[in-house]
Amino acid sequence: PLYARFYAFTKLLRHWCSLRWDDTNGIVPAELQMRARGLAGLLERTKTSGPDKEVKVLPIFLSREAWISKEWLETGLLLLEEPELAFARDYLVPLPNADLSGSSGLRAQYSDALSLTRDLWRFLACPGSHEALLLPEAAFFWSEHSDRAGVTGWLAALGIPKDQRDFLGRWAVSAM
């Protein structure tokens, strides 16, 4: 279904950009731009940025090269142009409608996202088969905080220094 593909896109975006769940509440879909090297956008409201904070906005960028087995970024952005998802809003992730064919038009909350993530993990199948990618119990291993630490964890395992990893996840944001 359309919404399941869209939600998978948002999970990949959060993973590759090391975003918190709440960061999606500050992404205006209409302002995301595909550029020559990748996707650019702004986080207008986050835990560490916003009109009432020292840091007003934070840039995000995702390279076209951020994929493992299939390119997905442009395909995901095209989903934002589908009539069911192309409505004006100041947040990225709306609640799905009952049959996952589109959106209810309401903002998804953390608890909604957690449920959607668990459904997504249960839905994924091994390439070329209908065999589940994960055991059903494994869907409870990840939370909505897991996306933010994914790439940062990979880099730590590769021995990348902490000061360089901190930039990726905005673990130490400061105003310039």
Side-chain angles (χ1 to χ4, degrees), residues 4-167:
R5 292 187 325 233
F6 167 73
Y7 194 70
F9 162 72
T10 67
K11 291 292 288 181
L12 288 168
L13 180 68
R14 287 172 41 205
H15 172 78
W16 285 106
C17 289
S18 298
L19 300 176
R20 297 176 177 95
W21 157 252
D22 287 341
D23 292 342
T24 63
N25 287 324
I27 296 175
V28 178
E31 294 179 11
L32 292 173
Q33 299 176 352
M34 183 55 85
R35 297 185 179 166
R37 293 188 177 172
L39 176 71
L42 295 174
L43 298 175
E44 297 184 5
R45 290 179 322 278
T46 71
K47 181 179 175 181
T48 59
S49 70
D52 58 337
K53 306 261 174 52
E54 185 177 350
V55 176
K56 303 300 180 202
V57 296
L58 291 166
I60 58 170
F61 176 79
L62 181 57
S63 170
R64 289 180 185 268
E65 304 298 318
W67 56 277
I68 295 176
S69 68
K70 291 189 180 197
E71 296 180 41
W72 58 273
L73 187 54
E74 289 183 346
T75 302
L77 283 175
L78 288 174
L79 294 173
L80 289 170
E81 297 175 13
E82 292 287 332
E84 298 85 352
L85 294 168
F87 60 96
R89 60 187 184 273
D90 65 351
Y91 56 91
L92 182 60
V93 185
L95 275 174
N97 59 15
D99 67 359
L100 300 179
S101 64
S103 165
S104 68
L106 301 172
R107 180 189 317 245
Q109 301 299 319
Y110 180 91
S111 58
D112 303 316
L114 186 57
S115 177
L116 290 165
T117 293
R118 289 178 178 162
D119 287 346
L120 177 65
W121 293 140
R122 286 190 284 263
F123 173 76
L124 294 176
C126 294
S129 79
H130 294 292
E131 183 180 339
L133 186 62
L134 300 171
L135 294 171
E137 299 81 17
F140 293 93
F141 178 76
W142 290 276
S143 74
E144 295 311 291
H145 299 291
S146 301
D147 302 321
R148 182 166 185 245
V151 173
T152 304
W154 292 358
L155 294 174
L158 292 171
I160 304 299
K162 184 180 180 321
D163 62 323
Q164 292 178 28
R165 296 191 323 262
D166 283 351
F167 173 77

